[in-house]
């Protein structure tokens, strides 16, 4: 074992010891490992009480390390240039192979956590669970069991594919799959049962999605430094930029989670859960100091080829991060304080009590905070403004109309998700349908006209290393990928836009999405994405794999829009309500019948289609007009260049066409002259010769007329 490997093993052991020590302290202080004897309930035993948090900590650490290794292989290390597209370096391939082993450990830890979870829920010793039939019967019925089984399956797939992956796109795909596998376990914990679970679920999803690349990326960069490998400055600089954003997201989402579970600030000091949360806040602040020190001291040292200060500090920071993750597991095993007031059945389902009777004023004033769409709108607005500012500083212009269109689209998202429309949507199908129509048929029009892809391609800088892939290169690859070419086909985009609505509402998917907050987010996001895809194909401001001619776009518009009218008519003719169980459970006492409200929603769907159709027709008319104007200007410029070149046919399509006609006429005359000059050939009758001469003259005259027309067309107006 060389010195670099010995240093790496020592740092890993210190980090693991810190995680276990803080975990044990948190479990003891929080009281979650204290034996509780409750009459009538079984006890899972001391093995489960300690084994479950330990296996959960191992699972979280293995997950973060897997994500970090995949991140290093796909994004942190630059690609190697050569003939053809860039390829993964030897170090990047090595990290992918390491990710295979780490994902195997992730799957094993998740499987152990699954067994301990079933034992904990059933109150049976883990030995009885393993030897009996409880494990197989309860895995599918327990939300935590289903979530952990998904983790096991996805981690195994990552482990298998990472052993043979050698391309950048495949490595990025494995990173995305690992990111998906992070989410199921935390989303079935305290967040799903918090008082304001809509905010808590979104907050914990953002929290976990930011922590894993931050912790795992730091561990891999630190290992890279301890092993003394090449390209450490590039790797550390890229990680530092990503870590700053991860730190911001972790801090904001963590604050939201604490507020959702501890609405009273004094509970931070008076409850076990609050004290553990306070300890996590302190650890977060310490990690912020580490990040500041890296940016101000160790990164400049790396530029001076002094890597050991960075390696030492990264090792200490990794130990603090591991300890913080152990504290987070102890916090997850500690029950948050019970709410002071008894929760109503409606609040348990929706996250808040039934609002007062609906009217236009309350639709505008009773705002309900939705963290997911608020964060989405804020992120999209910030990125767009940053891109426009970069263009302005560079001296380039960006149309104000596109900026205004983009922000109108974002404003519509905020209005229908955060205002009274979002508050009443879970209770009234009619309000939900208005929200659906706006997000599916109105918002995407303005977002597409904002041309975000074009703006990104102009604002993003090319990769510094030749052959490498930065954000601009990845965006270009995504635009030219087979998947994008398939889903952006007009037929496929239309099917997704139209059929998705019918499949969602006329199957059990609708009620399932209404009962689960993540399902509701997925449903609403589907409306927005399906509409954006369709109007991207239809309006086509940004580059797309296929460009329909304008008559084809008009035809596609008039063929597609009636389907939403048919959908509205189908709703208006329902004899039984959709999602009856959900709407009966949340039916407001001041509301009309569920079926009548759904008929109203059908009328909204039937009549709403006129608005986007009118807007699209106006947009297409302007696009068609300006496109014709650009084509005419382009032809004028070509004609001007041809005139400046002395009528060179190669400079002008019209001049080339006239030259071809003249050449054909000349060839016909030469052929007739050669034919007449052959000996022994009978002379043509006088009338035939005159007819040939007349035909040749007519061809020449036609060629001259076309040439004259070309000259007239090229004259500046």
């Amino acid at each position: 074992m060389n010195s670099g490997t010995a240093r790496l093993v020592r740092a890993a052991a210190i980090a693991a010891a810190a995680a276990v020590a803080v975990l044990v302290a948190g479990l003891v202080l929080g009281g979650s490992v204290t034996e509780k004897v409750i009459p009538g309930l079984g006890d899972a035993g001391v093995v489960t009480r300690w084994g479950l948090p330990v296996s959960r900590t191992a699972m979280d650490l293995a997950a973060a390390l897997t994500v970090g290794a995949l991140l290093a292989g796909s994004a942190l290390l630059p690609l190697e240039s050569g003939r053809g597209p860039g390829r993964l370096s030897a170090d990047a391939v090595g990290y992918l192979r390491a990710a295979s082993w780490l994902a195997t450990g992730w799957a094993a830890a998740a499987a152990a956590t699954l067994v301990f979870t079933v034992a904990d829920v059933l109150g049976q010793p883990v030995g009885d669970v393993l030897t009996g039939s409880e494990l197989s019967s309860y895995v599918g019925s327990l939300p935590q069991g289903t979530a952990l089984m998904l983790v096991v399956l996805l981690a195994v797939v990552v482990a298998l594919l990472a052993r043979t992956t050698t391309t950048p796109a495949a490595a990025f795909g494995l990173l995305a799959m690992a990111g998906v596998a992070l989410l199921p376990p935390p989303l079935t914990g305290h967040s799903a049962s918090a008082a304001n679970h809509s905010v808590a679920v979104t907050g914990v999803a953002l929290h976990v999605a930011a922590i894993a690349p931050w912790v795992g990326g730091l561990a891999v960069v630190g290992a890279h430094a301890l092993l003394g490998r090449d390209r450490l400055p590039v790797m550390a600089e890229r990680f530092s930029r990503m870590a700053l954003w991860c730190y911001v997201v972790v801090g904001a989402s963590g604050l939201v989670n604490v507020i959702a579970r501890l609405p009273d600030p004094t509970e931070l000091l008076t409850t076990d859960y609050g004290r553990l949360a306070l300890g996590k806040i302190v650890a977060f602040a310490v990690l912020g100091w580490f990040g500041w020190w890296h940016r101000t001291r160790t990164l400049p040292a790396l530029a001076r080829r002094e890597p050991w200060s960075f390696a030492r500090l990264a090792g200490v920071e990794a130990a603090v991060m591991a300890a913080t993750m152990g504290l987070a597991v102890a916090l997850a095993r500690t029950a948050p304080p019970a709410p002071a007031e008894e929760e109503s059945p409606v609040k348990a389902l929706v996250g808040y009590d039934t609002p007062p009777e609906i009217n236009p004023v309350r639709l505008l004033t009773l705002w309900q905070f939705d963290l997911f769409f608020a964060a989405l709108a804020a992120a999209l607005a910030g990125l767009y403004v940053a891109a426009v500012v970069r263009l302005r500083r560079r001296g380039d212009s960006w149309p104000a109309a596109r900026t205004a269109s983009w922000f109108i689209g974002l404003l519509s998202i905020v209005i229908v998700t955060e205002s009274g429309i979002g508050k009443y949507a879970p209770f009234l199908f009619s309000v939900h349908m208005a929200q659906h129509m706006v997000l599916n048929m109105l918002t995407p029009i303005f977002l597409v006209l904002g041309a975000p892809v074009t703006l990104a391609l102009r604002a993003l800088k090319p990769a510094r290393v030749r052959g490498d892939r930065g954000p601009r290169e990845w965006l270009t690859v995504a635009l030219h990928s087979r998947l994008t070419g398939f889903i952006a086909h007009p037929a496929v985009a239309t099917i997704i836009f139209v059929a998705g609505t019918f499949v969602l509402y006329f199957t059990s998917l609708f009620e399932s999405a209404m009962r689960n907050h993540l399902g509701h987010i997925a449903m609403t996001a589907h409306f927005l994405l399906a509409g954006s895809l369709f109007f991207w194909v239809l309006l086509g401001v940004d580059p797309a794999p296929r460009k329909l001619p304008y008559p084809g776009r008009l035809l596609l518009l008039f063929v597609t829009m009636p389907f939403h009218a048919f959908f509205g008519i189908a709703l208006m003719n329902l004899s039984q309500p959709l999602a009856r169980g959900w709407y009966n459970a949340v039916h407001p006492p001041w509301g009309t019948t569920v079926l009548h409200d759904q008929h109203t929603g059908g009328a909204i769907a039937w009549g709403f289609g006129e608005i986007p159709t009118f807007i699209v027709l106006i947009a297409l008319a302007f696009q068609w007009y300006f496109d014709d104007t650009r084509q005419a200007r382009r032809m004028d410029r070509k004609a001007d260049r041809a005139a400046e070149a002395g009528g060179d046919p190669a400079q002008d399509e019209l001049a080339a066409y006239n030259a071809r006609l003249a050449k054909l006429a000349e060839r016909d005359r030469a052929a007739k002259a050669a034919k007449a000059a052959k000996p022994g050939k009978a002379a043509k009758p006088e009338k035939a010769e005159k007819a040939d001469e007349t035909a040749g003259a007519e061809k020449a005259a036609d060629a001259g007329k076309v040439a004259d027309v070309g000259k007239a067309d090229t004259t500046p107006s």
Side-chain angles (χ1 to χ4, degrees):
M1 181 184 295
N2 57 34
S3 59
T5 305
R7 287 192 295 267
L8 178 60
V9 171
R10 185 167 57 250
I14 293 173
V20 172
V22 174
L23 172 66
V24 172
L27 292 174
V28 173
L29 294 175
S32 59
V33 292
T34 305
E35 183 178 1
K36 301 177 181 65
V37 180
I38 302 176
L41 295 180
D43 181 20
V46 66
V47 175
T48 299
R49 281 198 298 273
W50 286 100
L52 179 56
V54 170
S55 63
R56 181 62 182 269
T57 303
M59 182 182 73
D60 291 346
L61 289 174
L65 291 175
T66 303
V67 171
L70 293 172
L71 182 67
S74 60
L76 296 184
L77 283 171
L79 301 180
E80 290 185 347
S81 60
R83 294 182 179 179
R87 60 183 185 275
L88 295 176
S89 63
D91 286 339
V93 174
Y95 285 127
L96 292 181
R97 301 300 178 263
S100 176
W101 291 106
L102 291 169
T104 303
W106 183 10
T113 306
L114 173 60
V115 174
F116 286 124
T117 299
V118 174
D120 184 58
V121 171
L122 298 181
Q124 296 182 2
V126 66
D128 295 344
V129 172
L130 289 173
T131 57
S133 59
E134 290 84 358
L135 185 62
S136 59
S137 60
Y138 278 90
V139 165
S141 58
L142 291 174
Q144 298 93 333
T146 304
L148 290 169
M149 182 56 67
L150 286 174
V151 173
V152 172
L153 294 176
L154 291 174
V156 168
V157 173
V158 171
L160 293 175
L161 296 180
R163 297 189 66 83
T164 57
T165 298
T166 57
T167 62
F172 191 82
L174 289 180
L175 177 62
M177 185 181 296
V180 172
L182 293 170
L183 299 178
L187 296 181
T188 54
H190 294 321
S191 59
S193 58
N196 193 357
H197 59 264
S198 61
V199 174
V201 167
T202 305
V204 76
L206 293 174
H207 200 70
V208 172
I211 281 179
W214 183 24
V215 175
L218 176 69
V220 175
V221 174
H224 199 85
L226 291 172
L227 293 174
R229 293 182 177 175
D230 296 332
R231 297 181 177 178
L232 177 61
V234 175
M235 196 176 183
E237 182 186 1
R238 292 183 177 184
F239 170 76
S240 179
R241 291 199 300 266
M242 183 201 71
L244 176 61
W245 290 105
C246 289
Y247 186 81
V248 172
V249 174
V250 167
S253 59
L255 180 62
V256 168
N257 291 330
V258 170
I259 294 175
R261 295 175 178 86
L262 301 174
D264 186 0
T266 60
E267 292 177 333
L268 284 171
L269 300 174
T270 58
T271 63
D272 292 335
Y273 187 90
R275 286 187 286 269
L276 291 178
L278 188 60
K280 192 176 175 184
I281 293 173
V282 173
F284 176 77
V286 172
L287 290 173
W289 178 85
F290 275 107
W292 172 81
W293 192 270
H294 274 304
R295 282 180 169 267
T296 57
R297 301 295 179 87
T298 60
L299 289 181
L302 280 179
R304 298 192 301 268
R305 299 184 181 276
E306 300 173 4
W308 296 117
S309 59
F310 174 85
R312 287 192 296 269
L313 188 62
V316 176
E317 185 180 3
V320 175
M321 280 186 170
T324 306
M325 294 188 72
L327 181 60
V329 173
L331 185 65
R333 291 292 297 163
T334 304
E341 299 178 357
E342 186 176 353
E343 194 174 61
S344 65
V346 171
K347 189 173 183 179
L349 289 172
V350 182
Y352 51 91
D353 291 317
T354 304
E357 186 174 358
I358 188 171
N359 59 46
V361 175
R362 287 171 178 157
L363 280 175
L364 295 175
T365 58
L366 287 182
W367 285 62
Q368 178 69 32
F369 181 65
D370 188 306
L371 178 59
F372 178 82
F373 288 102
L376 177 66
L380 293 178
L383 291 173
Y384 199 94
V385 169
V388 173
V389 169
R390 175 175 286 186
L391 287 184
R392 300 282 185 179
R393 289 177 177 175
R394 203 168 61 194
D396 296 335
S397 62
W398 182 254
R402 291 184 177 180
T403 303
S405 177
W406 179 258
F407 280 94
I408 290 173
L410 295 183
L411 180 62
S412 67
I413 294 176
V414 172
I415 290 175
V416 299
T417 59
E418 312 290 331
S419 70
I421 297 175
K423 192 177 187 71
Y424 283 94
F427 299 92
L428 297 175
F429 181 83
S430 55
V431 180
H432 164 83
M433 185 53 60
Q435 184 188 61
H436 170 185
M437 290 293 109
V438 171
L439 291 175
N440 189 233
M441 302 179 67
L442 192 62
T443 300
I445 296 175
F446 294 102
L447 294 182
V448 166
L449 291 176
V453 177
T454 303
L455 176 62
L457 290 174
R458 290 183 59 185
L460 291 173
K461 298 178 181 179
R464 296 180 181 178
V465 181
R466 183 178 179 83
D468 194 14
R469 286 184 181 177
R472 190 178 191 279
E473 287 74 19
W474 278 112
L475 180 58
T476 305
V477 169
L479 286 173
H480 293 88
S481 67
R482 294 182 180 179
L483 178 61
T484 303
F486 174 74
I487 64 174
H489 190 281
V492 177
T494 303
I495 291 173
I496 295 174
F497 182 64
V498 174
T501 301
F502 287 88
V503 171
L504 174 67
Y505 284 101
F506 294 112
T507 64
S508 60
L509 287 175
F510 178 53
E511 184 164 4
S512 299
M514 295 299 292
R515 288 186 175 276
N516 185 280
H517 181 65
L518 287 180
H520 186 267
I521 289 178
M523 174 179 64
T524 311
H526 165 75
F527 297 152
L528 186 61
L529 293 175
S532 299
L533 175 64
F534 175 75
F535 288 108
W536 177 35
V537 173
L538 193 63
L539 296 177
V541 176
D542 285 323
R546 290 178 177 84
K547 287 284 189 180
L548 281 176
Y550 286 99
R553 298 184 189 187
L554 289 174
L555 178 62
L556 181 62
L557 174 66
F558 288 118
V559 167
T560 304
M561 287 306 172
F563 283 99
H564 283 80
F566 298 154
F567 169 70
I569 293 172
L571 291 178
M572 294 167 65
N573 288 281
L574 287 174
S575 59
Q576 297 293 331
L578 302 173
R580 178 187 299 179
W582 170 261
Y583 283 106
N584 285 336
V586 300
H587 185 64
W590 42 261
T592 183
T593 64
V594 174
L595 187 59
H596 183 269
D597 181 62
Q598 293 190 356
H599 288 168
T600 305
I604 293 173
W606 175 68
F608 192 89
E610 304 296 333
I611 300 174
T613 301
F614 179 70
I615 295 174
V616 171
L617 283 176
I618 294 176
L620 283 177
F622 276 101
Q623 287 183 358
W624 200 343
Y625 169 75
F626 287 120
D627 185 68
D628 286 346
T629 303
R630 286 192 298 269
Q631 293 290 344
R633 289 175 179 172
R634 188 178 298 114
M635 295 298 296
D636 288 344
R637 287 195 296 269
K638 286 185 177 180
D640 292 340
R641 287 195 298 268
E644 292 174 0
D648 184 6
Q651 301 293 327
D652 188 13
E653 293 180 2
L654 189 58
Y657 177 69
N658 292 334
R660 285 196 298 271
L661 288 179
K663 188 175 181 180
L664 288 174
E666 182 65 26
R667 189 169 60 186
D668 287 345
R669 286 194 297 269
K672 290 182 178 64
K675 189 175 181 181
K678 286 183 179 180
K681 190 74 175 178
K684 287 187 179 182
E686 185 178 353
K687 291 183 179 180
E689 291 179 359
K690 289 182 178 180
D692 290 341
E693 292 175 1
T694 302
E698 289 177 353
K699 286 186 178 181
D702 289 341
K705 288 179 181 179
V706 174
D708 291 339
V709 171
K711 292 179 180 179
D713 289 342
T714 57
T715 303
S717 58

